[in-house]
Amino acid sequence: METKKVDTHGLQNIVGDENIREATEDDAIDGIRPSLVVEPGSAEETSEVLKFARSEGLAVSPRGGGTKMGWGNPPRAADIVLSLSRMNEVIEHVPGDQVVRVRAGAKLSYVQQTLFRENQMIALDPPYPDATVGGVIASNDSGPRRYKYNTVRDLIIGTTVVLADGTIAKSGGKVVKNVAGYDFGKLFAGSLGTLGVIVEANFRLHPLPESARTVAVEVGSYEAAQGAAHAVVHSQVEPTAVELHWDGDKKLVSVLLESIPEGVEAKEELAHVLLKPFGEVRTLNDDEYDDLGPVPRPSGGNGEVAVKLSAPPAELASTMEIVLGAAERRGVKARLRGHAATAIVFAGLSGGEGSIAEVVEEAREIMVRRGGSVVVREAPESFKTKVDAWGPAGDHLALSRALKDKFDAAGTLNPGRFIGGI
Amino acid sequence: MSDDKPNVPNGSGNTGQPDDIFETVRQANVDEVGEEGTKTAVEPPKSPTKEGKTSFPAFDAHHPPDKDLINDCVHCGFCLPTCPTYVLFGEEMDSPRGRIYLMNKGLTEEPMNEQMTRHFDLCLGCMACVTSCPSGVQYDKLIEATRSQVERRYERSPEDKAFREMIFQLFPYPNRLRAAAAPMRFYKKFDIGGKLRKSGIMGRMPKRIQAMEALLPDLPKEEKIPEITPPKGEKRYRVGILTGCVQRVFFSKVNAATARVLAAEGCEVVAPKQGCCGALSTHAGREDESMSFAKQTIDTFENLDLDYVIINSAGCGSTMKEYGHILRDEPEYAERAKRFSEKVRDVSEFLQEVGTVAERHPLPTTVAYHDACHLAHAQGIRAQPRKTLTDIPGMEVMEIKEPEVCCGSAGIFNMVEPDTAGQLGERKAKNVAATGAKMIVTSNPGCTLQIQGSLKKMGYGEMPARHPMEVVDASIRGESVESLFE
Amino acid sequence: MERSNLIRTMEGILGEPGVIHEREQLRTYECDGLMNYRVIPDLVVLPETAEQVQSIVKVCYEEGIPFVARGSGTGLSGGALPVESGLLIVMSRMRRIIEVDLENLRMVVEPGVINLWVTNEVAPEGYYYAPDPASQSVSSIGGNLAENSGGVHCLKYGFTTNHVMGAEIVLADGTMVNVGGGKAPDAPGYELLGAFVGSEGTLGIATKITLRLMRKPESVRTLLAAFEDTEEAGGAVSGIIGAGIIPAAIEMMDRLTLEAVEKTVKPGFPDANAVLIVELDGPEDEVASQFDKVEKICEDSKASEIRIAESDDQRALFWKGRKAAFGAMGSVANDYYVQDAVVPRTELGAVLKKIDNLSEEYGLRVANVFHAGDGNLHPLVLYDNDVEGEAKRAEDLAGAIVFACLDHGGSLTGEHGIGEDKKKYMPKMFTDEDMDTMQLLRCAFDPHHLCNPGKIFPTPRLCGERPGPFKMHPLQKAGLVEQF
């Protein structure tokens, strides 16, 4: 694929010479190497860059921490990487309102540190420490705490985005309760930079839990894992996270309990009682907890293909069966990590590329039929050409195409990376 | 249908356990359409008679629905889920909010035509909306005024007029009613109704006649009560008692039981020669008739030196408490009516108010208590009848699901709108049967007739319906539980 | 299409009982919960299945007839206000509960199902549906979806959009799409469901909705605290939030509201200038400990009286007093205008003072009841329609209050929506670019601008060319529209 040669002159006038550089191998997206990396410092500069790119017919890939550039399908073209790293401030934090406003290029970990000082947090714990806020939104990434606090779409209360034609538009605001106008915060969540570039986001905050404990049960079977998760979910324990660990000898369901000190003990007791029927239960000490999580989950690299399977909660066991069974039958090694209570399973598959592809296709066919999905997260380039990252689009593909058409008619942003070839 | 659904708190006006609605409606539609799930709502029945003449604007200046009362309505819609016709038909026009809207338009902008009249006619007057309204809209006054206007200004078709006239020539006159009912003994004895049904003739008669036929109870021998019943023991109060019309003819034993209970509680019970209290006429908007009956009743009772006037029929009690309003235009009666109404008490209300002295003997059984609309919604009396029953040792009172929803009797409604009343009756009967109680207890003869009829239609004919006073009477006299089932 | 022809066509789809065309009957549908705007619909149709909805919409699409969907008609922003020469599609007969799936904590319902029915259906098993707007006994799920309804439990549990997992939608051209997945989380693709919820019926009509259920909390404790004024009460609220406690609900009522409520519902609240109702729920030990803290904070904030609900009935009474607040206004004034605005919680004190000043300036009383935890205010402007000019003054005052809220960093609406009522204020909160971008979304869903047109945006735009012979859009005819 030919990357267009870009005339840097126009861009220099927008962002300044020092904020443009030539792209290197490291900047490649699924094997496609862009010409330039451009780093605007404001929404206005971002707008000008995009206008420029559009007028020149160039393809732009927005980037935060670069942790998820491998997600989605390989792009049809990538000429400019638009990096948000200079736009990294915390604009405003009002602890009394439990609201924070940040620039999208700020690292989530950095924002959290700022909030911790006031005993607050954005209730998101995705695994990549270098991920930026904008990237987390665009990829709709999440972590174990989603069980209690839900995901990006439920925590974002306002956004400012820049569209491919340079329009700067905001929606929402800085109040938690707000139904004025359409909710772009939600629309842009998971849109992988194909509708616009997120430059600012406002979040509602939660108080930092005062005290935490993790109780884990060793489960011998898929059913035990599902049963343990189910028991805890349908009880009065109200855990913060329920995680599945299934990797070689390690077969656990761990339950994170957070509350005020008086509440945590009661939760721990109840959790022990609920989990006992499913295996040996113990409360983890700090070392064991660090060893366990919150990461790592399979994230690709070294030929491993990272896949995310999503199913209704009552189908955790069968989901595990589907992917592990398919893997075994084809001599593919699989390790699992998942959000047991919401039946989202991350599988790391290693082995022959062709076999892995078959495993993914088979699992996908079954899961989609049941109303779930299988999405390829990270994989070597060669794999990406064999298997579609997303799977079938469903009956809303026409509507999605219409949406893309309205927001980015010229196809400037991340063309080809999204579902249905969008 | 599970029996352990949560109880709907009193006065919340929340009705509708969804599977019940759909069960009833689906069943009604299956019966009607013969196919499962063809529809999810019931069509409002077309007027059973041909169109009458219209007038414009709908209302004239003589007691139209009061604009101030109409303005109390803020259009919030809280009344919708409690209204039986909205629950059945799902249309705005057949909801209290919609009807008030029509009334408002009818004051100056819209004519009184068939559509408008239809929606007013379909209102049961159950006043569940009054209970659920957060703004305190007095819908009861509005619908009564509206009905009067309809009766005066809408020219009903000849068949409709004739049928209604027949009802009002009969029901408010106990002697005529008795005379008309007398042949019923033979009708029932020789099961003429059964023969008519088997031969298919019954099915071909007008729906309204069929409905009346189905409602008819077994006519018992009349149990007269003396003009004065002395109190047992020390005299605490001197009270009058309304013997009623339907009550007197078909349920005279309820009057007898009421008199006995009051006497046992130390009351000197006065039962003068008396006529109709005018409830049916009032609720149907027949203004002149209603006022005439009211005056007559006041004349009958007011000079008897009574502490209270006791009523054992919800519909009657509700109207008699309104006499002040009904006769507000009559200078000779207005004040007297107000003072008279202040003495009116429902019998359960009375017993709880003054306290009981007579010993209650155990009656170990379960009963389901049905809230008559004119007792619960119109008079706000819910706790007293229940307490009157639970004061009896061994008596367990079961709550019926959807207690706020009318049984379909609603005065003459079940005679003039048999389809709608039938659906509501079935729904109530199902809920009653689901309690598992041995008998149903309610304080209104109309409800008794309706629910008994519906229970029979659905195959629960063995379940007797009793008045709270019959139960209390049995308890005071130390009768056995079985006696209540005879 | 000629009207009688349209009636015949609709009767063909729905049968006679499904079509209302007589004038007096149409008039009962001319407004929803907001009486200030009335438009008589051309026709009212009541479908009973999703297929019927599709057929109706297809006819509208082919004939260029605008349409508006309506649930129970209890909205407070005129979202279900009919459109001139348009169809009103009433969803009240689509009210089946289709599936209850406790294992997966979900329920599938038709849009006409009443909010409270959802909880009632699963309450015996110990589950419930969290969004509880004050209208929950009558508002429909479809309507809740359109407005992203809130309720008193928003601060802790979120709004409708956080409890909807999927929806089947009929788009303006009659095609049906399924958005949101509905069974498994994180369906790949755009967050179309998230865009749809709260879109006030302008993007399509939902015909089937998957709701998220939750386990009923183990313990619920409610207290009521009386204060000398709203400022003190506000101090208590700050204290509670500052202590890291997120109450399930935290509501405030001022003197005028308390008066009205005492007249109608008679909950027997203390005689005070401000009353706070705080509710905590969750596991028992956690709640017990936090509740003590809350009590202490109220005491420290100089509460003149604290009442703790000792039973379910008592708690129900506290809430009855709060939830009946709007309706009760009828007892202290002839008319009232309920406003809905949001400010950051830290600005509440300042804004309430401003409202006081404005009330004096305009010479009209304002009763305040609000969700103290998330800053969502409901000032009730009291007036008498029969006094000349008062209605306009009331509207102006209500507008001034909203602007004051915007000045303090708030929003035009917290839960009632923009609808018809507030579209004129949109430019105060959003720039032209902001609104144009939002309309891109609308154009993607409804390029012919037939679905609840004229709502939300002050200047509607038509999106691009329409195929076929040129037919002037009714809004174009009325001169209300520009070409995009």
Side-chain angles (χ1 to χ4, degrees):
Chain A
M1 207 159 294
E2 276 284 308
T3 309
K4 293 204 182 82
K5 209 63 183 98
V6 183
D7 171 18
T8 51
H9 205 71
L11 287 169
Q12 276 166 350
N13 291 337
I14 302 171
V15 299
D17 204 11
E18 64 282 17
N19 292 316
I20 311 177
R21 64 170 175 80
E22 270 195 38
T24 65
E25 219 26 73
D26 291 335
D27 298 311
I29 305 165
D30 279 333
I32 292 148
R33 183 154 138 195
S35 284
L36 298 174
V37 177
V38 180
E39 293 191 338
S42 68
E44 288 73 24
E45 282 181 17
T46 309
S47 165
E48 293 302 314
V49 171
L50 285 172
K51 274 201 257 199
F52 173 83
R54 199 165 88 127
S55 64
E56 300 284 315
L58 301 170
V60 176
S61 276
R63 186 175 77 190
T67 52
K68 301 174 199 65
M69 297 309 272
W71 287 26
N73 290 325
R76 279 196 290 276
D79 302 308
I80 297 179
V81 168
L82 192 138
S83 165
L84 278 284
S85 12
R86 282 178 62 212
M87 297 167 62
N88 60 6
E89 305 90 3
V90 170
I91 306 172
E92 193 186 1
H93 173 208
V94 187
D97 289 331
Q98 300 186 314
V99 165
V100 71
R101 296 174 51 219
V102 296
R103 288 253 148 75
K107 293 213 174 113
L108 180 61
S109 48
Y110 165 70
V111 176
Q112 300 281 41
Q113 291 300 330
T114 317
L115 300 172
F116 288 170
R117 277 182 247 139
E118 298 285 341
N119 279 328
Q120 291 185 331
M121 64 176 182
I122 298 178
L124 279 175
D125 54 351
Y128 302 100
D130 286 331
T132 59
V133 168
V136 169
I137 299 171
S139 62
N140 194 19
D141 203 10
S142 58
R145 283 184 174 75
R146 65 178 285 163
Y147 173 73
K148 174 164 182 161
Y149 296 105
N150 296 314
T151 57
V152 163
R153 73 190 281 300
D154 301 293
L155 298 166
I156 194 169
I157 59 177
T159 41
T160 306
V161 298
V162 183
L163 302 184
D165 67 359
T167 311
I168 303 176
K170 71 171 190 308
S171 85
K174 53 179 201 171
V175 280
V176 173
K177 210 157 168 192
N178 191 350
V179 292
Y182 294 137
D183 197 338
F184 280 173
K186 303 221 175 21
L187 181 65
F188 275 72
S191 60
L192 213 65
T194 55
L195 294 177
V197 178
I198 304 167
V199 291
E200 230 178 86
N202 305 343
F203 284 90
R204 74 153 293 175
L205 303 172
H206 283 85
L208 265 182
E210 284 178 38
S211 147
R213 236 150 278 162
T214 305
V215 177
V217 57
E218 284 186 36
V219 289
S221 66
Y222 311 143
E223 284 72 30
Q226 182 174 310
H230 184 268
V232 159
V233 164
H234 290 261
S235 73
Q236 296 293 352
V237 162
E238 294 195 7
T240 302
V242 184
E243 292 290 291
L244 171 75
H245 316 255
W246 194 276
D247 182 0
D249 283 332
K250 186 158 69 178
K251 294 188 169 81
L252 297 172
V253 169
S254 71
V255 181
L256 176 63
L257 306 162
E258 291 177 323
S259 176
I260 50 178
E262 300 88 331
V264 151
E265 295 226 4
K267 287 195 185 200
E268 187 189 349
E269 243 183 82
L270 182 53
H272 269 262
V273 168
L274 292 166
L275 293 171
K276 216 145 125 243
F278 302 99
E280 214 189 283
V281 187
R282 67 182 190 284
T283 303
L284 303 182
N285 60 35
D286 287 343
D287 288 331
E288 283 173 310
Y289 178 72
D290 287 337
D291 184 49
L292 205 55
V295 277
R297 66 179 192 210
S299 50
N302 295 331
E304 191 187 43
V305 173
V307 174
K308 173 183 175 186
L309 303 103
S310 177
E315 294 181 27
L316 176 67
S318 55
T319 305
M320 292 168 74
E321 159 87 65
I322 290 169
V323 65
L324 292 172
E328 202 183 311
R329 275 190 297 268
R330 293 181 179 71
V332 168
K333 226 176 79 162
R335 57 191 185 105
L336 304 180
R337 172 65 194 257
H339 309 310
T342 34
I344 293 175
V345 177
F346 300 96
L349 306 167
S350 349
E353 218 169 74
S355 311
I356 300 179
E358 281 176 23
V359 170
V360 172
E361 298 283 19
E362 182 184 315
R364 180 175 279 166
E365 205 246 327
I366 304 174
M367 300 285 297
V368 166
R369 232 187 308 127
R370 293 178 177 201
S373 61
V374 176
V375 171
V376 177
R377 279 283 165 84
E378 294 280 348
E381 285 156 43
S382 44
F383 185 84
K384 288 278 194 79
T385 54
K386 289 199 181 74
V387 179
D388 183 78
W390 303 101
D395 58 17
H396 53 73
L397 184 55
L399 184 55
S400 300
R401 289 218 171 97
L403 203 61
K404 170 73 174 182
D405 210 47
K406 287 288 167 210
F407 279 77
D408 180 18
T412 307
L413 295 163
N414 274 339
R417 280 182 70 185
F418 207 51
I419 200 169
I422 291 177
Chain B
M1 234 190 318
S2 87
D3 282 324
D4 53 352
K5 286 229 157 74
N7 273 330
V8 173
N10 274 334
S12 71
N14 281 340
T15 64
Q17 303 299 319
D19 58 344
D20 292 332
I21 296 179
F22 305 125
E23 195 45 47
T24 309
V25 166
R26 193 190 60 78
Q27 192 57 43
N29 280 307
V30 164
D31 295 343
E32 198 174 284
V33 177
E35 257 174 55
E36 269 216 35
T38 312
K39 297 189 264 192
T40 53
V42 185
E43 355 177 333
K46 283 245 156 324
S47 176
T49 56
K50 291 203 287 282
E51 174 169 344
K53 231 168 52 181
T54 58
S55 35
F56 183 91
F59 304 119
D60 63 24
H62 177 73
H63 291 315
D66 192 323
K67 184 83 171 138
D68 281 335
L69 295 184
I70 290 178
N71 284 344
D72 279 342
C73 172
V74 296
H75 218 245
C76 69
F78 273 59
C79 51
L80 263 58
T82 65
C83 173
T85 51
Y86 184 77
V87 164
L88 287 178
F89 313 143
E91 293 178 329
E92 185 75 15
M93 304 83 67
D94 284 308
S95 74
R97 180 173 70 172
R99 292 187 178 112
I100 292 176
Y101 208 81
L102 287 172
M103 289 175 201
N104 198 8
K105 295 301 151 191
L107 285 175
T108 48
E109 294 171 44
E110 298 289 342
M112 179 175 304
N113 55 14
E114 190 198 352
Q115 280 84 17
M116 209 189 251
T117 315
R118 193 85 199 97
H119 296 306
F120 293 138
D121 279 347
L122 278 170
C123 169
L124 281 88
C126 71
M127 288 172 284
C129 52
V130 174
T131 300
S132 64
C133 175
S135 302
V137 175
Q138 296 175 70
Y139 181 83
D140 48 336
K141 295 218 163 58
L142 286 172
I143 193 67
E144 263 175 36
T146 304
R147 291 218 219 262
S148 310
Q149 294 266 347
V150 168
E151 289 311 306
R152 263 185 312 109
R153 290 171 61 69
Y154 182 66
E155 188 70 31
R156 288 189 189 278
S157 66
E159 321 89 74
D160 198 9
K161 251 208 279 211
F163 187 74
R164 287 167 187 269
E165 208 45 48
M166 182 266 294
I167 293 177
F168 282 99
Q169 287 305 318
L170 201 56
F171 281 79
Y173 302 99
N175 290 332
R176 293 185 209 171
L177 193 56
R178 193 171 294 127
M184 284 303 136
R185 282 213 193 87
F186 299 104
Y187 183 90
K188 295 270 172 183
K189 189 158 177 222
F190 296 110
D191 193 25
I192 298 180
K195 295 193 173 66
L196 286 173
R197 261 182 288 276
K198 266 209 211 89
S199 64
I201 295 177
M202 182 65 77
R204 277 187 249 135
M205 295 192 115
K207 271 241 172 80
R208 284 173 158 181
I209 304 293
Q210 287 191 50
M212 281 190 73
E213 195 274 344
L215 278 172
L216 298 173
D218 291 335
L219 184 66
K221 254 188 97 94
E222 193 193 344
E223 212 176 315
K224 282 207 166 75
I225 56 175
E227 202 160 318
I228 307 257
T229 308
K232 289 237 169 359
E234 179 202 332
K235 173 169 142 174
R236 295 167 72 204
Y237 301 101
R238 180 176 154 95
V239 306
I241 176 175
L242 189 87
T243 48
C245 305
V246 170
Q247 191 90 291
R248 195 188 317 184
V249 173
F250 292 106
F251 301 114
S252 54
K253 55 193 176 128
V254 172
N255 286 338
T258 308
R260 284 193 293 268
V261 169
L262 288 170
E265 294 296 349
C267 295
E268 183 178 25
V269 185
V270 183
K273 198 149 125 54
Q274 56 189 268
C276 174
C277 72
L280 284 183
S281 311
T282 309
H283 296 143
R286 296 165 67 101
E287 206 174 332
D288 291 332
E289 204 173 73
S290 147
M291 294 204 303
S292 152
F293 281 133
K295 290 185 203 167
Q296 180 191 291
T297 309
I298 293 173
D299 287 338
T300 306
F301 282 93
E302 73 178 337
N303 291 320
L304 294 176
D305 190 26
L306 301 169
D307 296 318
Y308 297 96
V309 180
I310 308 297
I311 324 293
N312 58 12
S313 156
C316 307
S318 145
T319 294
M320 290 170 73
K321 286 184 181 177
E322 267 185 58
Y323 276 174
H325 177 76
I326 291 171
L327 294 173
R328 63 196 183 284
D329 286 341
E330 302 286 305
E332 291 220 357
Y333 277 91
E335 264 310 305
R336 293 157 65 191
K338 259 217 299 251
R339 270 174 301 164
F340 177 81
S341 291
E342 278 158 22
K343 290 196 182 161
V344 173
R345 294 287 186 281
D346 170 76
V347 61
S348 293
E349 183 189 13
F350 172 70
L351 290 177
Q352 294 301 324
E353 188 178 322
V354 301
T356 58
V357 296
E359 189 188 345
R360 306 288 196 256
H361 300 279
L363 280 179
T365 186
T366 54
V367 304
Y369 177 72
H370 162 73
D371 289 286
C373 291
H374 278 96
L375 202 58
H377 295 304
Q379 300 182 57
I381 296 175
R382 292 182 181 86
Q384 297 94 320
R386 285 173 168 83
K387 180 112 199 325
T388 303
L389 292 170
T390 53
D391 277 348
I392 300 171
M395 175 139 299
E396 198 188 336
V397 177
M398 314 287 290
E399 291 297 324
I400 304 173
K401 237 185 335 190
E402 297 175 333
E404 310 291 315
V405 180
C406 182
C407 66
S409 169
I412 62 167
F413 189 86
N414 55 358
M415 288 185 276
V416 294
E417 298 291 345
D419 279 331
T420 310
Q423 285 158 43
L424 292 169
E426 268 180 51
R427 187 191 181 123
K428 182 65 70 176
K430 273 216 189 94
N431 285 334
V432 166
T435 62
K438 298 281 185 305
M439 96 177 73
I440 171 154
V441 177
T442 186
S443 330
N444 194 43
C447 301
T448 308
L449 285 179
Q450 170 76 352
I451 297 178
Q452 256 181 344
S454 302
L455 284 170
K456 202 149 64 144
K457 216 187 336 177
M458 309 203 50
Y460 301 110
E462 274 69 58
M463 200 180 191
R466 296 278 174 263
H467 191 281
M469 285 306 107
E470 291 183 87
V471 178
V472 173
D473 177 49
S475 165
I476 291 178
R477 290 196 301 167
E479 303 271 346
S480 69
V481 170
E482 284 68 39
S483 71
L484 287 170
F485 288 86
E486 278 144 24
Chain C
M1 194 191 250
E2 206 215 320
R3 188 166 187 263
S4 53
N5 213 356
L6 183 61
I7 296 173
R8 260 199 305 277
T9 311
M10 289 298 153
E11 284 181 350
I13 301 171
L14 303 169
E16 254 187 65
V19 184
I20 298 172
H21 52 85
E22 300 284 351
R23 188 187 148 80
E24 315 73 44
Q25 314 198 84
L26 291 174
R27 293 205 70 171
T28 58
Y29 282 101
E30 65 188 13
C31 63
D32 57 14
L34 184 68
M35 304 230 275
N36 306 45
Y37 307 93
R38 296 169 209 229
V39 173
I40 305 179
D42 206 34
L43 215 62
V44 171
V45 290
L46 297 109
E48 292 171 19
T49 65
E51 289 69 40
Q52 285 177 346
V53 176
Q54 273 186 290
S55 305
I56 296 168
V57 171
K58 277 206 183 91
V59 171
C60 291
Y61 182 70
E62 275 150 26
E63 300 296 323
I65 303 172
F67 58 90
V68 176
R70 170 178 162 133
S72 301
T74 57
L76 293 170
S77 56
L81 181 71
V83 165
E84 201 78 56
S85 313
L87 227 66
L88 187 69
I89 306 181
V90 178
M91 309 298 284
S92 58
R93 286 187 179 160
M94 285 182 65
R95 48 191 182 173
R96 285 176 302 163
I97 291 184
I98 300 181
E99 189 190 341
V100 178
D101 180 4
L102 288 176
E103 273 286 307
N104 287 309
L105 291 171
R106 58 189 267 281
M107 191 189 292
V108 183
V109 300
E110 285 186 332
V113 167
I114 307 289
N115 178 300
L116 194 58
W117 293 356
V118 180
T119 294
N120 286 350
E121 182 71 14
V122 292
E125 277 86 9
Y127 296 87
Y128 78 119
Y129 174 64
D132 61 344
S135 59
Q136 66 179 152
S137 64
V138 48
S139 60
S140 64
I141 291 291
N144 288 167
L145 221 77
E147 304 294 330
N148 192 12
S149 301
V152 303
H153 290 92
C154 285
L155 184 61
K156 184 168 182 189
Y157 291 112
F159 332 110
T160 299
T161 189
N162 310 114
H163 296 268
V164 177
M165 297 165 65
E168 175 189 271
I169 304 173
V170 172
L171 298 175
D173 63 0
T175 55
M176 195 182 269
V177 296
N178 280 280
V179 298
K183 285 195 101 176
D186 293 1
Y190 289 126
E191 236 317 325
L192 297 168
L193 178 65
F196 184 79
V197 178
S199 61
E200 305 196 28
T202 56
L203 300 182
I205 303 181
T207 48
K208 211 184 264 173
I209 301 153
T210 305
L211 301 173
R212 191 156 74 95
L213 303 170
M214 296 182 66
R215 191 110 181 87
K216 255 203 291 220
E218 183 175 34
S219 158
V220 184
R221 312 257 339 251
T222 314
L223 72 64
L224 187 149
F227 293 90
E228 195 49 47
D229 57 36
T230 50
E231 224 180 300
E232 266 179 15
V237 174
S238 296
I240 293 170
I241 305 274
I245 298 173
I246 299 196
I250 179 162
E251 299 285 300
M252 205 190 294
M253 302 187 339
D254 74 355
R255 172 155 218 99
L256 201 41
T257 313
L258 291 166
E259 252 179 59
V261 152
E262 204 56 47
K263 279 209 183 106
T264 48
V265 175
K266 300 196 219 323
F269 284 171
D271 182 21
N273 288 329
V275 151
L276 206 64
I277 301 180
V278 185
E279 185 163 285
L280 299 172
D281 67 17
E284 198 162 330
D285 289 281
E286 192 180 273
V287 170
S289 169
Q290 286 184 329
F291 197 74
D292 289 337
K293 281 202 192 112
V294 168
E295 213 186 323
K296 180 138 196 330
I297 293 172
C298 288
E299 279 167 15
D300 289 344
S301 303
K302 302 203 234 101
S304 55
E305 186 184 336
I306 296 182
R307 280 191 212 167
I308 298 179
E310 301 289 341
S311 68
D312 282 345
D313 284 340
Q314 264 201 317
R315 178 179 329 113
L317 192 58
F318 284 177
W319 285 116
K320 191 169 174 194
R322 160 63 186 90
K323 292 201 177 186
F326 292 5
M329 283 303 136
S331 67
V332 290
N334 271 340
D335 303 279
Y336 67 91
Y337 193 108
V338 56
Q339 187 54 283
D340 165 54
V342 196
V343 291
R345 210 185 34 74
T346 48
E347 302 284 325
L348 260 178
V351 169
L352 285 174
K353 274 210 188 73
K354 265 241 181 96
I355 293 179
D356 265 340
N357 295 342
L358 286 169
S359 159
E360 255 189 71
E361 196 186 310
Y362 281 75
L364 294 170
R365 293 173 300 162
V366 178
N368 282 298
V369 54
F370 46 98
H371 311 288
D374 49 39
N376 187 194
L377 301 150
H378 291 304
L380 300 153
V381 181
L382 308 177
Y383 68 100
D384 189 346
N385 206 8
D386 292 333
V387 173
E388 172 132 13
E390 242 183 53
K392 180 83 185 29
R393 247 186 24 248
E395 202 183 322
D396 291 340
L397 171 53
I401 293 175
V402 162
F403 300 152
C405 292
L406 281 179
D407 284 339
H408 285 260
S411 169
L412 289 176
T413 169
E415 48 186 10
H416 295 172
I418 300 286
E420 179 68 31
D421 197 33
K422 289 193 166 148
K423 49 186 207 185
K424 54 186 184 278
Y425 300 147
M426 283 289 273
K428 291 238 176 233
M429 186 169 170
F430 298 108
T431 64
D432 279 341
E433 273 104 27
D434 298 337
M435 288 194 280
D436 283 350
T437 307
M438 289 185 199
Q439 300 235 50
L440 287 176
L441 180 63
R442 199 196 187 137
C443 288
F445 275 80
D446 174 26
H448 292 197
H449 210 81
L450 294 171
C451 194
N452 207 4
K455 306 280 167 48
I456 305 182
F457 302 103
T459 327
R461 311 229 197 271
L462 295 183
C463 338
E465 291 307 317
R466 287 156 55 109
F470 180 72
K471 245 189 223 136
M472 200 170 239
H473 193 283
L475 292 175
Q476 253 182 327
K477 249 192 261 191
L480 292 171
V481 136
E482 296 168 14
Q483 195 77 20
F484 214 1

